[in-house]
């Protein structure tokens, strides 16, 4: 696996070194999961497409702390089995109103 290559990359080390030292197990597991999702025959898809002001789509997202009809910000992206595939986990949005 390329985990050691990612962790030893200068850009990663300079930007996240302090956080990595405090959260090593969590960060390592996140990298492993993302790598496995990408290495499937058809890679899983993480959709960050929701923008501020977009209509709230209850079929794709759950509200965070309040309900509303307009996207304020994305809390958690949509996870799909593959691009344009079935949704594995709805995203989470904080609505504006």
């Amino acid at each position: 696996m390329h985990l050691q290559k990612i962790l030893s990359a200068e850009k990663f080390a300079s930007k996240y070194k302090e956080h990595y030292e405090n959260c090593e197990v969590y960060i390592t597991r996140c990298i492993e999961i993302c790598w496995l999702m990408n290495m499937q025959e058809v890679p899983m898809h993480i959709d960050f497409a929701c923008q501020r002001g977009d209509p709230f789509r209850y079929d794709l997202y759950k509200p965070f702390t309040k309900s509303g009809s307009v996207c304020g910000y994305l809390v958690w992206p949509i996870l799909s089995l593959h691009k344009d595939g079935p949704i594995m986990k709805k995203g989470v949005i904080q609505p504006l109103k």
Side-chain angles (χ1 to χ4, degrees), residues 53-65:
D54 286 351
F56 194 107
R57 296 201 41 200
Y58 283 90
D59 58 327
L60 300 176
Y61 298 97
K62 296 187 297 187
F64 186 48
T65 61

